[in-house]
């Protein structure tokens, strides 16, 4: 059975420590790369979600605009059908609002 000298053991320990340092450096690099990749993925996901929300908002605004235009067409048609009734209704609404907003 061969016995090892303390110098050999110390030398082996130095080699093991050097390998450990290299492994830790490699692990740190891998973690940085993973963090960079995760940040990029999160950034892309946030951008995609923002685009989806913007598209949804555009669609909702377009729908609202169409509904408003249709409501205006309907109101004009009703006014044209009964102009006297429309004027009387507008007058009554004005009087009611005037009374409500009068603070005497």
């Amino acid at each position: 059975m061969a016995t090892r000298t303390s110098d050999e053991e110390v030398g082996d320990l130095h080699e093991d420590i050097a390998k450990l340092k290299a492994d830790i450096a490699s692990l740190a690099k891998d973690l940085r790369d993973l963090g960079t990749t995760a940040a990029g993925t999160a950034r892309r996901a946030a951008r995609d979600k923002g685009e989806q929300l913007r598209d949804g908002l555009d669609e909702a605004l377009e729908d609202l605009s169409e509904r408003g235009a249709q409501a205006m067409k309907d109101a004009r048609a009703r006014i044209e059908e009964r102009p006297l009734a429309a004027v009387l209704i507008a007058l009554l609404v004005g009087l009611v609002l005037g009374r409500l907003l009068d603070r005497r």
Side-chain angles (χ1 to χ4, degrees):
M1 184 168 190
T3 58
R4 295 175 44 139
T5 65
S6 60
D7 288 339
E8 290 173 336
E9 288 180 10
V10 169
D12 287 345
L13 283 176
H14 283 296
E15 288 176 17
D16 289 344
I17 289 172
K19 287 179 186 177
L20 186 58
K21 284 181 181 179
D23 289 345
I24 289 174
S26 175
L27 180 61
K29 181 186 176 300
D30 290 344
L31 286 174
R32 272 193 309 274
D33 292 345
L34 180 63
T36 301
T37 302
T41 301
R43 194 176 314 120
R44 281 189 297 278
R47 185 179 53 236
D48 292 345
K49 187 65 173 177
E51 288 175 3
Q52 289 175 354
L53 290 173
R54 190 174 0 188
D55 291 343
L57 180 60
D58 289 343
E59 289 176 15
L61 287 174
E62 186 177 327
D63 184 49
L64 184 60
S65 176
E66 290 173 4
R67 286 183 186 186
Q70 186 61 43
M72 290 298 291
K73 286 179 185 178
D74 292 344
R76 282 187 185 136
R78 287 186 183 156
I79 289 171
E80 288 174 359
E81 287 174 7
R82 296 188 177 149
L84 184 59
V87 170
L88 290 175
I89 291 172
L91 179 66
L92 289 174
V93 169
L95 288 173
V96 169
L97 286 176
R99 290 282 184 175
L100 290 173
L101 298 176
D102 188 23
R103 297 199 177 225
R104 287 190 219 177

